Amino acid sequence: MLAALTSSPALSKVDSLITLLDSPDQRLVVLDELCFHYRHIDYDSVIFYGSIGYNESRIQGEMEKVMLFADYLGSANYKKARYDQAVKYYTEALIAGKQIQDSSYLVSINNALGVVYFRIGDLEQAAQYMISAINIAEIIGDSPRFISSCLQNLGSLQFKLNQNTEAKDYFNRALRISASNGDSIHIGNIYHNLGVLYKDGFSKLDSAQGYFELALDIRKQMGRGIDLARTLNSYGRLQEELTDYKKAITQYREAIIESQKVGSVLITLAAHHNTSRTFSKLRYYKAALEYAELVGYGLDSIMSLDIKKDHEKLLSNIYEALGQYSEALIHQKQYQQLKDSLMNGEKAKVIANLEWRYKIEGNERTIAQLKAEGKVKETQSKVRLWVIIIICIFLSALIYVFYLKTRLNRQRAARLLAENRQRELELDLKHQELSALSLNLMSKNNALSKVKEKVQVDGNENVKDALKVIDANFALDEDWGHFKMHFEKVHHGFFERLKSKYPTITLNEEKLCAYLLINLSSKEIARLSHSSLSAIEKSRYRLRKKLGLTTEANLHYFLRSI
């Protein structure tokens, strides 16, 4: 059915066909198939059909479909660099996924949100979602493909924080997982990321070139338009650094063609910007200006202030080289405004305006003053110039120190967050081991009880011996030793604190405290200790008395406070 829908001329009749379908379920199925078909080739179509499906599934209360269409919309908006919309829809998908308890989808959506926040520059949020994704994936034993994707994103985050060695470790772990599963798509992504890391992080351009070429081979074989465009653009940047400008321009132009095929605005603009900069280095300023103006047409759809800032700086340099100083000044001011927004400092704005005003206007004014006022005013101008330069250098240093301090604080916060997540995961695993051990002990005692009931009917000596063995098994301290060892890992020092506060407490009462602390019921404790329910209730009563608790006090919460 999908082949018929997406073939021309049937494509123009798709909307009519959807409205003619009587069953809402049929409409949602068709919309799902359309979004799936267009997900890599036409993002606008995904947004159009995904919006219809998202709204209809919300009306029907189909949370699984809400999650599915919100995921489509988040992905398409991200690839069109509409990051605010991507966050909105991915968050909706995450909420729906939690409601239907789809753990695999929660891995995917947390991972996707981490990528979006990483692209926006909110590294703390990015780390939070990425770590959540990999924790869930490892707990539920999710597919290696998801785990590889999470590791890649954590590697990119470490690279952004200038933790290059850690980033390489994450990428290599992801590569081993993807290679063992023959996942060519992720292998291509990892080679691309390693190329960027070796180029910008380690400054090893030969290694970077090798990784980029491996990524290009895979992506050309698979025909992955947006991924191919991204690698071509990055490979062009490498050639530009190697000063092979003609080869760089060739790579950028191929990237533009591939990105336009799939409607990727961000990569198209980046490749145009890079082409313009390369022409500027070759001093082909008119060609550079043509490509720079192409970038300007699409900048309104881009949220990234970094991209806009770099573009304004490039335009300013081109116009200055062409001798069009008024235009250069306009773009320099726009560049400075964007730079100030990123730095969030009014002092930076004043400094930069002084620098540029002096550079563009000061030279002509100084020359005029020298001619009119002579050697004395020349000396005064030089003094003023040096004062301004010294002030600018001092203020710039202050701002840079503040920037470094803020950056270090963010890096520290991201590392602390990752460490806390790891500790939480380890504690959860220890709780699971403790619960499993308790269940095993209860299961063993139940089994022994059933065997005892069956053999008690026969009164011969062999049976009596068997009963003695079973009773002895109930009384073994070995099981308690295993349990106590695992319990201490989770509640370190509990028994020491309990004994120091209540020296008269017995071993059986210690065991009862431990079972109550892990929230076992009286019935479960009876099964675990091979005692009657009434005996356990009496033991609880005596324990309360020894601990000095009233009947209204919660015994479990009291034990937790020790």
Side-chain angles (χ1 to χ4, degrees), residues 148 152 171-172 174-175 178 186-195:
S148 173
Q152 289 176 63
F171 289 145
N172 285 330
L175 183 60
S178 297
H186 276 177
I187 292 171
N189 291 342
I190 298 164
Y191 282 149
H192 173 93
N193 290 336
L194 284 168

Side-chain angles (χ1 to χ4, degrees), residues 94 98 106-107 109-115 117-118 122-136 150 153-154 157-158 161 410 413-422 424:
L94 188 63
K98 288 178 179 178
L106 289 178
V107 175
I109 301 303
N110 273 291
N111 191 35
L113 274 168
V115 173
Y117 277 112
F118 173 78
D122 190 341
L123 303 187
E124 185 175 350
Q125 283 277 48
Q128 181 178 340
Y129 283 110
M130 289 177 185
I131 292 169
S132 294
I134 200 164
N135 285 346
I136 297 170
C150 294
N153 292 332
L154 284 170
L157 180 62
Q158 293 294 331
L161 295 170
R410 287 183 178 176
R415 284 196 296 271
L416 287 174
L417 179 62
E419 290 170 1
N420 288 338
R421 293 291 183 186
Q422 183 63 30
E424 288 174 7

Side-chain angles (χ1 to χ4, degrees), residues 322-333:
L322 290 170
Q324 300 180 29
Y325 297 111
S326 59
E327 288 290 332
L329 179 59
I330 291 170
H331 289 287
Q332 177 63 20
K333 287 179 178 179

Side-chain angles (χ1 to χ4, degrees), residues 196-213:
V196 175
L197 175 63
Y198 274 92
K199 180 176 77 72
D200 297 333
F202 296 124
S203 298
K204 294 181 178 179
L205 303 188
D206 290 340
S207 298
Q209 181 159 334
Y211 282 118
F212 280 134
E213 288 173 355

Side-chain angles (χ1 to χ4, degrees), residues 416-433:
L416 287 174
L417 179 62
E419 290 170 1
N420 288 338
R421 293 291 183 186
Q422 183 63 30
R423 282 195 291 271
E424 288 174 7
L425 180 60
E426 290 173 357
L427 189 59
D428 286 343
L429 289 173
K430 289 176 182 176
H431 274 295
Q432 290 173 16
E433 289 175 358

Side-chain angles (χ1 to χ4, degrees), residues 17 137 169 233 245 294 298 305 310 336 346 414 455 504 538:
L17 176 60
D169 291 341
N233 189 48
Y245 297 133
L294 289 173
L305 294 181
D310 292 344
Q336 197 58 53
E346 290 299 322
V455 300
T504 61
K538 288 177 183 177

